[in-house]
Amino acid sequence: MKVLAAMSGGVDSAVAAARAVEAGHDVVGVHLALSRMPGTLRTGSRGCCTIEDSSDAWRACDKLGIPFYVWDFSDRFAEDVVDDFISEYEAGRTPNPCMRCNEKIKFAALLEKALALGFDAVCTGHYAKVIRDEAGNPELHRAADWAKDQSYVLGVLTHQQLEHCMFPLAETPSKAQVRAEAAERGLTVANKPDSHDICFIPDGDTRGWLAERIEMTPGKIVDQDGNELGEHTGAQAFTVGQRKGLRLGRPAADGKPRFVLEIRPKDNKVIVGPEALLAVDELRGIRVSWAGRPISEVGLGTEFDCMVQVRAHGDPVAAVAHVEQQADGVCQLVTRLVEPMRGVAPGQTMVVYQDSRVLGQATIDSARSTAWDPAKVS
C-alpha cells in the first residue's frame, strides 16, 4: 500500500514507520506543524510538535530512506483545538485537547489530505489495534500492552477513518521493546522521553494562560449547601476535583480538605465540598460517535452492558448504557455506573468498551451523584 506515516518526532512513530517500510509498503513521512510560532509550544518531553520534534522526525525518515515533508496545519489546529479548548473552559467544562487533536487534526484533516493525494492509509505510533469482524468491518481494540494502550484517545475515530488507519505497534508487548528496536535500527530517538501535558501552553500554567484569553470575573465560592465560603477571581480557571488553589482561608468544620464539585459560569459560582461528594453514578454525554459499526443495541432506549473510561490511563468502570434523544433532537449517551467514579468533570471524554473493543465515545455534559443534589445550591 501507499502509506503516509505521521511522524511526531518520537520513538513510537519512528518505529511504526520502520515496520511499515519493512512490511513492503511505499512509505512517506510527514510531520505536522501546528503553530506558526513553534516557540509557543512546549519543548523537550512536554511537547510533540516543536522544532526539535520536526528535526527528530526528519532524522528518522532519513535513516529509513523515505521522503519527509512538513505540512502546515497551524490554522486548523488553532481553530479546532486551541479555540475549542478556550470555549469549553468558558462554558465551565474541562476539555481534553489531545482527543480533539486526534479527532480534528491527525485523523480528519491529515487523513483527508492523505486520501486526496492517493495514499491508502495513515500510519501512526499509537498503541491500539484494528481488527476486522466476520463481515470485514474494522473494529478498534485495545493494544497488547494495556499499560501503554492508547485506544482511549482514539475513541473518536469513525468507521470510515478506521478503514484507513495502520497501527504497527498494536501487538508490541512493551514500550521497552520499542525502544530496544529503535536502538537496533540506529534511530536517534530510541531514548527520547515520552511527550505529555498540553503542548500549546509553554510554561504549563493553564490558569494563567486562560486568564489572558477569557474574561475572568470575581465571584463566590460556596459549599454544597449554598453557604458562602469565599471569593474566586474567575470560575473558568477551576476544574471539578480540584483541591489546591481555593484560598478559602479557613478549614472545613470536619477539618478535611474541600474539592471543587461543580462550576457554574452563568452564575459565576464555584461549588466546593468534601471528597466523598465527588463520586458520581451517572454520566450523560453529547457529541456521540461510534468507532466502527455500532453494535445493534445502540438504538434509542436499548440498554447494553459496557465498561466506561474517562481518562487516558484511568481504570474502566462497569456500566449499563443507552442512547437517549432529548427534546431538542440531540442524542445523549447515558451510562449508569455500577460503582461510583470520582472526580469526573463535564468536558471530559467517556469512551465505552466491550471487552477489548472500543464501541464509541461522547463528551461528558453532566455527571450526577445520588449523594448530593446540586439543586440545593441556588
Side-chain angles (χ1 to χ4, degrees), residues 23-37:
H25 300 299
D26 178 11
V27 182
V28 173
V30 64
H31 180 77
L32 303 184
L34 302 183
S35 174
R36 300 276 175 90
M37 300 170 60

Side-chain angles (χ1 to χ4, degrees), residues 10-12 43-48 127 148 150 175 179 189-197 313:
V11 62
D12 294 325
T43 60
S45 65
R46 294 180 174 271
C48 62
Y127 290 76
K148 288 297 296 181
Q150 292 175 304
K175 180 63 173 274
R179 292 194 182 280
V189 292
N191 295 312
K192 185 176 180 178
D194 292 341
S195 62
H196 57 88
D197 291 336
H313 299 291

Side-chain angles (χ1 to χ4, degrees), residues 312-329:
H313 299 291
D315 293 326
V317 174
V320 177
H322 69 274
V323 177
E324 189 175 288
Q325 190 169 41
Q326 304 302 296
D328 58 4

Side-chain angles (χ1 to χ4, degrees), residues 223-227 264 371-378:
D223 67 13
Q224 70 273 16
D225 296 315
N227 301 311
R264 296 184 179 176
W372 173 59
D373 181 10
K376 293 173 63 177
V377 182
S378 59

